Every structure is written in C-alpha cells, then in structure tokens.
Amino acid sequence: MNEKENVGIYQLENGYWGFRYTITVNGKKKDVKKNKDLNGNPIKTEKAAIKARAAALEREKVNRSFKPKMQRMTFAEVYQEYCEFGRSGKAYTTIKKQDSLWENHLKDKFGKRFIDDISVAEVNDYLETLYYTEGRAYKYVEGFLKMFYLIFGQAYSRNYLEIDTYNKLCVTKEARIKMPKMKTDEDLDIVAYNNEQISLLDAYFKGTNAETAFLLGCYCGLRINECYGLKWDNIDLKNGTITIDRQMQYQDGLIKLVSVKTRNGRRKVYLCQRLIEYFTLLAQERETCSNTLNAQRMQNQTIIEDIGGQQISSLELVNTLPNGKIQTLNSMKYHSRTIKSRFKIDFKFHHLRHTYGTRLAEMNTPTHILCNQMGHASGKVTERYYLAVSQNGIDILTRNLNKM
C-alpha cells in the first residue's frame, strides 16, 4: 500500500479505524477527526478508512465550492439582533434580566469577540469562575448558561455559525457548554415550615395587613406576584375556586398587572373550607366599607394598568385595605424582619408555597393534580415536593416504622 494513501489513518482501541484531516475555514485551520464513514457506519478496515477519508475530503471540497462565505459577527452584534428580532413576546422581567446580565457581565467579557471564535472551554471556564471563584448562586449562574445557549442559537439560525461549531457548543452531550458541578453545600432544597411554625405564623398574621396574602400563600400555594395581583373577579366562592391569570409587577417604577409567565401558570386553584369562609367574610366587609368608607377609599385608591393596558382601580384587588390603600410586593418585607426577630424563623413568602406543595405531596395528592395546582410547566419540578424531607414527613415515617 502506498504510504501517502494511509496518511491520517489510524486504528482505534476497539479494532475499528478512524481518520483525520485539516481544512481551512474562514482563514482558520480546523482539525477534523472521524471514526465513521459518510453513512454513519463504523470503519472496519484500513482500506475502508482510506476510502472514507477521501470521500470526506471530497465532500468538504464540494461544500466549500458551493457554499457562500459565512458572515462573521461579534457576540455583541448577535445579541443586538436578538434584541431587535428575537424576543418579541418575552416577559418584561425576562427582558430586564437578559439586559442586566448583558450590560453588567457579558458585554465586556465577550462583546467584541467573533461569535465563531468562542470555544466550549472558554464558556465553561467563565461559568466556573462565576460559581466557584465569585461565589454566585447556582441558579444565578444558570441564567448565564441560558444566555449563551440563546445567543449561539441566534447565531446559528442566522448562518453565523457552522453546524459543527454549533453542535459542539450546544448539542453534543459530551462536549457542549454546561453548568459547573454543584457544590455539596448548595442550598436548592424545598423549605417547608413544620406544624408548630405554621401555627406561630398563623397567629402572627391574623388581623394584620398581610393576613390575606399569608393565607393565599399557605393554603393555595400562590407566588407572591400572583397573590398581590389577584382580583375579586377571579374568586368564585360558589365553586370554591380562584383563577390565576395575572400577576403584579413593578415596571419602570410603576405597578402593573401582567399575564403570568407561562401557559401552565394560568390555572384554577381550589380553596379549602377555611378560605371559602374567610373570603366570604372578607367580601362582606368589602361591601360594608364601600358604603361607610367610600370617600376614604376613593381618595386612597391607586389607578394601575391591567393586562392589555386597561386602567383599573386598586379597589378591584383582593389585597387592598378597607380604607382603599393598595398592598404590594413590598408589604411583606416588614413582616419578614419582625418574624425573624420575634420567632427566629427565616420567613420567606415563597417558602409558604413550598409548604403547601410538600403538605399535599405528603398526603399522596396525585402528581398531575399537584402540578396543576402549583402551575408548574414540568412534572419534574412537582416531583421535588414528593422527594422533599420535611419534619412532618419524618413524623409519618416514624409512625409507619413503629407499626412494622
């Protein structure tokens, strides 16, 4: 066999054969290694490897002769294109988060770089620096990973990245960019309050300006934005349900009601008897105050923007005080500080949602029902509540063990 013929040919440990070659793409040399022929079959002999290499080189030659030169774009140019054409319909908070990550981090680090010059190793090193060296939260670093996937996907869709480069960055499981290995002490656990803590919180919130919000979080599992965006029109006491279709947000310093973030977030939540009785009394109190405190309510009301730009009165919101003053996301901050000081409980409103989900899971609520009540887009998220270890769950386990 001619020595020139087997240049770039080598045998693998498993007995099959592979080949390598070098091509020039946009003025840059690119090394290519293959261990399968053009049909995706393993290469069994040296002779077959020589033929496969020749066929691959011929295809590269044909592709280059017909394929127009790919336009080179910087990371910043691709992001600007995405902002202009690729994120219409995105939620306001999503856009703000993306812009924050770009302006405060990614622009200086990667903005001037050509998109096709950025390697998997560079991105992985950057994510590891954010997580291990700078001590950023794991969930926060995940936001950067999503941004990289987004920008590389935008570049590929606009023909600024070769398919092999894109696959290496975002598709091939073994090679693609990925999150750093999670620290052993990373706190991503479900936090559920035990019965004693719930009793303390229940007694604390009774009669306060945040009692309604507390009950909605604890016994309906609402997110805080959903809680303060709830309108009276969305409560059906006859059927014992509330419809979640909007949430409260601050946008450019203004309070607005906007659609929930995901399709699954739009849902019907069922009320326990305690809440049906509570909202029945609250509705009666609201009607009474509409007559006795009408002047105050008219003066204290806030006009806010509802979905679709419609202007509505804050008096339509469930979390409005009898005198007409609106309650917002910030209304819970004082109570969080007070509870921590008085009861030594690290109170976060979202942990009420965790408690709700964990309790229903402990009572063997079917997964698909709990998923619907929580408004999760994925059942995998819901399953975390069934895996969470709470004190109540431990008590159940202990009782079961004692019965053995």
Side-chain angles (χ1 to χ4, degrees), residues 301-319:
Q301 70 177 326
T302 302
I303 303 302
I304 59 177
E305 184 178 303
D306 198 359
I307 296 175
Q310 179 185 358
Q311 300 295 307
I312 66 168
S313 167
S314 59
L315 299 178
E316 295 186 33
L317 300 178
V318 172
N319 281 284

Side-chain angles (χ1 to χ4, degrees), residues 24-29 69:
T24 302
V25 179
N26 294 331
K28 293 175 57 179
K29 286 190 175 182
K69 188 174 181 180

Side-chain angles (χ1 to χ4, degrees), residues 113-302:
R113 297 282 304 282
F114 283 114
I115 195 77
D116 58 340
D117 261 349
I118 300 172
S119 68
V120 172
E122 280 184 276
V123 177
N124 285 342
D125 288 346
Y126 179 66
L127 296 177
E128 288 181 6
T129 299
L130 288 171
Y131 185 50
Y132 295 128
T133 306
E134 298 184 13
R136 308 281 181 176
Y138 192 81
K139 286 290 186 182
Y140 184 69
V141 177
E142 278 187 331
F144 286 88
L145 179 67
K146 291 176 183 177
M147 279 284 283
F148 281 113
Y149 272 108
L150 185 152
I151 300 302
F152 289 134
Q154 176 76 11
Y156 176 61
S157 70
R158 300 269 173 177
N159 290 324
Y160 306 142
L161 278 180
E162 297 278 2
I163 186 170
D164 288 344
T165 304
Y166 175 72
N167 285 342
K168 188 181 293 184
L169 287 164
C170 301
V171 179
T172 307
K173 189 174 181 179
E174 297 78 12
R176 67 189 179 195
I177 57 176
K178 62 191 70 174
M179 284 293 291
K181 187 176 180 180
M182 188 183 295
K183 301 173 189 174
T184 56
D185 60 348
E186 185 70 42
D187 182 15
L188 293 178
D189 292 337
I190 299 293
V191 178
Y193 298 120
N194 60 37
N195 292 339
E196 181 183 353
Q197 291 171 323
I198 287 296
S199 294
L200 286 172
L201 294 173
D202 211 345
Y204 167 81
F205 278 107
K206 189 172 182 61
T208 68
N209 64 339
E211 181 180 9
T212 302
F214 166 75
L215 293 174
L216 286 168
C218 190
Y219 298 104
C220 293
L222 299 195
R223 301 174 178 91
I224 191 167
N225 304 64
E226 297 169 343
C227 171
Y228 283 102
L230 184 64
K231 297 170 66 175
W232 277 104
D233 287 347
N234 292 92
I235 297 182
D236 182 354
L237 292 175
K238 181 179 179 180
N239 294 304
T241 63
I242 56 177
T243 300
I244 306 301
D245 60 0
R246 66 197 69 207
Q247 58 181 331
M248 180 183 286
Q249 281 185 2
Y250 280 98
Q251 294 187 3
D252 302 321
L254 300 176
I255 300 171
K256 295 183 179 181
L257 300 184
V258 300
S259 297
V260 291
K261 192 171 182 180
T262 65
R263 180 176 297 179
N264 293 78
R266 292 178 59 91
R267 64 198 188 278
K268 185 173 289 186
V269 177
Y270 288 84
L271 302 173
C272 62
Q273 188 59 37
R274 176 180 175 180
L275 284 197
I276 292 176
E277 294 172 359
Y278 175 82
F279 281 115
T280 299
L281 292 175
L282 195 65
Q284 293 171 357
E285 179 185 344
R286 177 175 181 249
E287 186 174 349
T288 300
C289 291
S290 296
N291 297 322
T292 60
L293 300 176
N294 185 57
Q296 282 188 47
R297 288 166 64 83
M298 291 297 105
Q299 186 176 73
N300 290 331
Q301 70 177 326
T302 302

Side-chain angles (χ1 to χ4, degrees), residues 44-57:
K44 297 181 179 180
T45 65
E46 182 181 17
K47 187 174 181 180
I50 293 171
K51 288 183 177 180
R53 182 176 186 273
L57 285 170

Side-chain angles (χ1 to χ4, degrees), residues 44-151:
K44 297 181 179 180
T45 65
E46 182 181 17
K47 187 174 181 180
I50 293 171
K51 288 183 177 180
R53 182 176 186 273
L57 285 170
E58 184 62 29
R59 188 173 70 169
E60 294 281 7
K61 183 178 178 181
V62 171
N63 287 344
R64 289 197 299 275
S65 63
F66 286 100
K67 192 172 182 180
K69 188 174 181 180
M70 185 167 285
Q71 183 180 357
R72 299 195 77 190
M73 298 284 279
T74 65
F75 202 85
E77 289 171 327
V78 176
Y79 180 71
Q80 188 58 46
E81 259 195 17
Y82 163 73
C83 292
E84 190 173 349
F85 303 111
R87 65 180 185 185
S88 57
K90 292 286 185 182
Y92 175 85
T93 51
T94 300
I95 292 173
K96 283 292 184 183
K97 181 179 179 181
Q98 290 174 350
D99 287 344
S100 176
L101 294 180
W102 173 254
E103 290 294 333
N104 297 317
H105 299 279
L106 297 175
K107 183 170 71 172
D108 291 340
K109 181 71 176 178
F110 295 97
K112 295 179 181 179
R113 297 282 304 282
F114 283 114
I115 195 77
D116 58 340
D117 261 349
I118 300 172
S119 68
V120 172
E122 280 184 276
V123 177
N124 285 342
D125 288 346
Y126 179 66
L127 296 177
E128 288 181 6
T129 299
L130 288 171
Y131 185 50
Y132 295 128
T133 306
E134 298 184 13
R136 308 281 181 176
Y138 192 81
K139 286 290 186 182
Y140 184 69
V141 177
E142 278 187 331
F144 286 88
L145 179 67
K146 291 176 183 177
M147 279 284 283
F148 281 113
Y149 272 108
L150 185 152
I151 300 302

